Amino acid sequence: MLRGHGWHAPWMFAARVQVFPALLRWGVTILLFAGMALLAGRFYCSLLCPLGLFQEAVHGLGRRKLPGYRRGTPLRYLVLAAVILSMAAGSLALFNLLDPFAVFGRGSTQILKPLLVSANNLLASIPGEPSRILHHLPAAPVAGTAFFSTALFFCALGAWAFLRGRPFCDALCPVGTFLGLFSSSPLVSVRFDADACIGCRQCDQACPTCCLSSRDLRVEHDRCVLCLSCLDACRTGALRLGTPKGNEALQRRGLIRTAFGAAAALALSGIRNRWNSPALSGASAPGPAPVSPPGSFSHDNFTSRCIACSSCVNACPAGIIRPALSAWGFAGLFQPRLDYRFGYCQYECKACTEACPTGAIEPMSLEAKRRSQIGRARFEKQACIVVKNGTACGACAEHCPTQAAHMVPYGGSLSIPQVDTSLCIGCGACQYACPALPKAMTVSGLRYHGTARRPWEAEEGPVVDPLEEFPF
Amino acid sequence: MNRREFLKRSLALAVGAGALALPGNLGKNLGAAAAGPVDLAAVKGGEAPEMFDRGISALGGIGRFVSKGQTVVVKPNIAWDVEEALGANTNPALVARIVKRCLEAGASKVYVFDHTCDLWKRSYARSGIEEAASRAGATVVPADQGNAYRKETIRGARTLKETRVHELVMKSDVFINVPVLKSHGGAGLTMAMKNLMGIVWDRGEMHSRGLHQCIADLSLLRKPDLNVVDAYRVMVRSGPRGTSARDVAVRKAQVLSTDIVAADAASAKIFGTEPGAVEYIRQATELKAGTMDLDRLRIERISL
């Protein structure tokens, strides 16, 4: 699954083990995550969640002392309920704003990647022999609003994490709260040894979610992210990671929480199954239809399963998959689309279909991708150079990989493009190459992707026809 | 003249003398063999690298074009992210052979690049040219960044009076143009002159301001010292990108000339089109960029 993806491989592995992407892809796997939380609490938050690791790292820079135990805020349940309700109503917008994996993904493409690209290009601009090792990289696919909102989010989150540890994980994260529902009394978790504790409060000051109280010798497991900072802080060995000792039993509140969690999990599974009916999905905004990536099959499938994590944005070598503010309507905030102002979909490439963790874009063979109709070209004759200026052009047909756009005679020695829509796959090459302003060739998305006919019946080899006589 | 060059020239003369002996070519070549290197060499029937070796001998050997210590740009067509079998890009073995001969002639550096249409990395790789040229010792450089292109004035141009051109083309001592012969939806045919669009930053401008005139104008800027038109695999329809190998005819031919217009005229004929029917060939002749009248040239015809 991950071979042949080069430096994308670690990212793609991380993407495969995230709670909500797995839910969107396979539905029932959410029960698996719930089961694991019953066993070992929110280990996910410190082991697999990239945003959790990020906050941990930022806080580690300052190592500031933390305030100690605070009661958990009920806000987290409201956030989770709002997310589930809005998902049930067919919108992923709220979820996409708060899901740690999606947020981190946008952070990578909108902030981290542009920084790395700029650094590389700065080095590459040092005069000298042209080389391809430190070659200028094309600008990262930064999109206005997605960039500003992501930058704002990360500034706020960074400051919050620096000063207070992981309050986001405790108070806002819908994934953490969901897993917390199953983590009231996990089999394995952080536990106090009352005899060894000397009451020094080092552990209180180390806990990034303020869920541990050395006075009561108690850890609120549903808020504990298993970062194990407290174990590191404890000098007497009074804290340990282990199974319950003695008579620690499942409490009534824990049972109620678990019941709520099971209900939420079932609701989410149910919602996910009902997404297959288009009636629930978000309607597209007015205007020319956006183009969804190959492998997404329909706009409904795409918008109801895309969490706007930007994995495909990152994978696209042409840099044309970009987060959209409103192309998919409000419900599809930051879900990406193909933007042919920046390039076109490369005929021999299927990188995006392999990058998606949620199944909003399904993997497909290159052969299938080459014939997947994601959009349709439209030729506006009056805008064409050939008609306007009376000179030859053909840039569109030149770039068209299937000859859907091809040239036909047009008076004198001129020829003019014509579009065979049964061959057109909507890759955008003709639109990008068209030198006319406004463009004579435009591509709009297809709500339901189709399959283009083969340009020929069977794969044939070349005609062997060696030159017999020199014709001059 | 060093020993290698002497041997090559002797070989060229021998080949010329051999051609003279053939009754069919007797009249046509009478003048050619007598006056040293020919204006144009046409080769058929061999593999692309060996056809180059025979053709370049007829033109006086590589030493006529490349001297010790000079920098060389070899400009193939690498426009598309497609396999060699589709004939959309120049034959990689041919590019490698040219690079090798340049280095043998003492070139200090041989650059290979093209301003591709598809993404450069993918096109360089799938065409096979990056690997073949690097292995032969070339420095293969990307040409996808605008800051490598400098504004140049084209003297004598009618429409494209100035445009941004890759700096290596202007800075290098020797410029060898290595196009592939193909059909072309917009321009009819693409060969030597059309291949120069790959040294220009803004191709869209050439398309929108009159494609044929701009192609003709561009041929005045930096006249290639040598044009080698690869007609081994010829894309006979659906060009310039092609859709499958069935668009290709294996013609096993090659045209070499110092005259870019003559190279295109001869290549057009090999394709089966009269040079006069290609507008940019006519316009380039009017601009005196070269001659399309093949009868007035000394031509060496080589069959392998």
Side-chain angles (χ1 to χ4, degrees), chain B residues 156-289:
Chain B
R158 287 183 182 162
T159 302
L160 194 70
K161 292 183 195 301
E162 58 176 30
T163 193
R164 284 167 68 196
V165 175
H166 201 286
E167 57 186 9
L168 283 178
V169 172
M170 306 309 289
K171 282 198 311 208
S172 292
D173 301 316
V174 183
F175 178 33
I176 302 180
N177 186 24
V178 195
V180 60
L181 173 62
K182 291 185 286 181
S183 81
H184 192 281
L189 283 179
T190 165
M191 329 169 254
M193 280 191 268
K194 175 80 175 64
N195 193 44
L196 295 184
M197 283 180 83
I199 63 169
V200 168
W201 179 245
D202 189 357
R203 280 190 296 257
E205 182 194 6
M206 296 180 71
H207 273 277
S208 60
R209 295 182 63 192
L211 184 59
H212 288 289
Q213 187 62 55
C214 289
I215 293 172
D217 288 344
L218 186 58
S219 67
L220 295 171
L221 176 65
R222 166 71 150 108
K223 187 180 156 236
D225 300 285
L226 174 65
N227 301 279
V228 183
V229 183
D230 168 24
Y232 188 85
R233 285 189 185 79
V234 178
M235 187 186 289
V236 293
R237 68 181 96 84
S238 308
R241 195 188 195 283
T243 57
S244 92
R246 64 189 282 282
D247 295 326
V248 171
V250 179
R251 300 290 268 164
K252 297 197 175 187
Q254 199 174 101
V255 173
L256 301 87
S257 181
T258 49
D259 182 331
I260 193 168
V261 184
D264 274 3
S267 304
K269 284 206 152 192
I270 288 177
F271 191 88
T273 302
E274 276 308 307
V278 182
E279 206 177 321
Y280 64 78
I281 295 184
R282 284 203 315 269
Q283 287 162 337
T285 309
E286 284 169 28
L287 294 174
K288 300 197 170 29

Side-chain angles (χ1 to χ4, degrees), chain A residues 238-386:
Chain A
L239 282 157
R240 62 184 174 90
L241 185 67
T243 50
K245 246 185 213 168
N247 56 357
E248 187 188 322
L250 197 59
Q251 294 163 345
R252 198 171 65 91
R253 285 181 69 169
L255 269 178
I256 293 172
R257 278 210 196 96
T258 308
F260 266 117
L266 285 173
L268 282 165
S269 290
I271 290 169
R272 189 260 172 198
N273 289 336
R274 284 174 64 199
W275 275 328
N276 295 336
S277 75
L280 265 176
S281 61
S284 295
V291 183
S292 64
S296 58
F297 300 117
S298 76
H299 287 181
D300 295 325
N301 176 64
F302 182 67
T303 53
S304 64
R305 293 170 87 180
C306 171
I307 58 164
C309 70
S310 284
S311 292
C312 56
V313 175
N314 211 12
C316 177
I320 57 164
I321 307 184
R322 291 176 179 238
L325 180 64
S326 61
W328 300 109
F330 175 71
L333 190 66
F334 299 145
Q335 287 175 340
R337 72 192 186 297
L338 273 62
D339 193 335
Y340 296 145
R341 287 174 302 172
F342 301 96
Y344 53 93
C345 180
Q346 303 285 303
Y347 191 56
E348 304 286 343
C349 170
K350 59 182 178 90
C352 59
T353 71
E354 287 159 354
C356 181
T358 71
I361 314 174
E362 297 277 8
M364 64 198 313
S365 71
L366 190 57
E367 163 65 16
K369 184 267 168 182
R370 286 201 200 106
R371 289 175 61 200
S372 170
Q373 295 177 303
I374 57 177
R376 181 160 292 166
R378 191 171 169 277
F379 177 52
E380 186 62 60
K381 198 171 175 180
Q382 295 312 313
C384 179
I385 295 289
V386 179

Side-chain angles (χ1 to χ4, degrees), chain B residues 130-145:
Chain B
E130 176 169 38
E131 203 201 332
S134 320
R135 195 174 287 170
T139 308
V140 182
V141 292
D144 67 322
Q145 289 295 321

Side-chain angles (χ1 to χ4, degrees), chain A residues 121 125 129-132 135-138 317-318 344 346-350 366 385 389 391-395 397-403 407 413-415 432-433 435-436 455-472, chain B residues 28 40 42-44 80-81 109 111 117-122 126 130 139-142 144-145 147 168 184-187 194 204 207-208 210-212 238-246 248-251 253 266 269-270 279 294 299 301-303:
Chain A
N121 288 355
S125 66
E129 277 292 283
S131 90
R132 52 164 303 183
H135 176 63
H136 266 267
L137 295 168
Y344 53 93
Q346 303 285 303
Y347 191 56
E348 304 286 343
C349 170
K350 59 182 178 90
L366 190 57
I385 295 289
N389 302 352
T391 54
C393 178
E398 180 176 335
H399 280 69
C400 179
T402 65
Q403 286 296 295
M407 305 302 282
S413 62
L414 288 177
S415 54
Y432 180 70
W456 58 90
E457 283 310 310
E459 190 68 47
E460 296 168 40
V463 186
V464 178
D465 180 21
L467 191 65
E468 295 290 338
E469 289 291 327
F470 287 111
F472 42 80
Chain B
K28 284 181 178 175
L40 185 145
V43 196
K44 69 178 174 68
W80 306 103
D81 174 17
K109 198 111 184 175
Y111 295 103
C117 295
D118 283 337
L119 299 179
W120 73 268
K121 225 178 233 177
R122 301 176 64 92
R126 200 183 304 268
E130 176 169 38
T139 308
V140 182
V141 292
D144 67 322
Q145 289 295 321
N147 57 13
L168 283 178
H184 192 281
K194 175 80 175 64
H207 273 277
S208 60
L211 184 59
H212 288 289
S238 308
R241 195 188 195 283
T243 57
S244 92
R246 64 189 282 282
V248 171
V250 179
R251 300 290 268 164
K269 284 206 152 192
I270 288 177
E279 206 177 321
L294 296 177
I299 299 177
R301 296 168 183 80
I302 304 164
S303 299

Side-chain angles (χ1 to χ4, degrees), chain A residues 205-282:
Chain A
Q205 291 170 356
C207 179
T209 56
C210 305
C211 71
L212 163 149
S213 163
S214 59
R215 200 173 54 187
D216 301 341
L217 297 177
R218 193 166 64 88
V219 178
E220 288 187 6
H221 301 305
D222 64 321
R223 294 168 58 208
C224 171
V225 292
L226 270 93
C227 67
L228 308 187
S229 305
C230 51
L231 266 70
D232 293 342
C234 183
R235 288 170 297 189
T236 64
L239 282 157
R240 62 184 174 90
L241 185 67
T243 50
K245 246 185 213 168
N247 56 357
E248 187 188 322
L250 197 59
Q251 294 163 345
R252 198 171 65 91
R253 285 181 69 169
L255 269 178
I256 293 172
R257 278 210 196 96
T258 308
F260 266 117
L266 285 173
L268 282 165
S269 290
I271 290 169
R272 189 260 172 198
N273 289 336
R274 284 174 64 199
W275 275 328
N276 295 336
S277 75
L280 265 176
S281 61

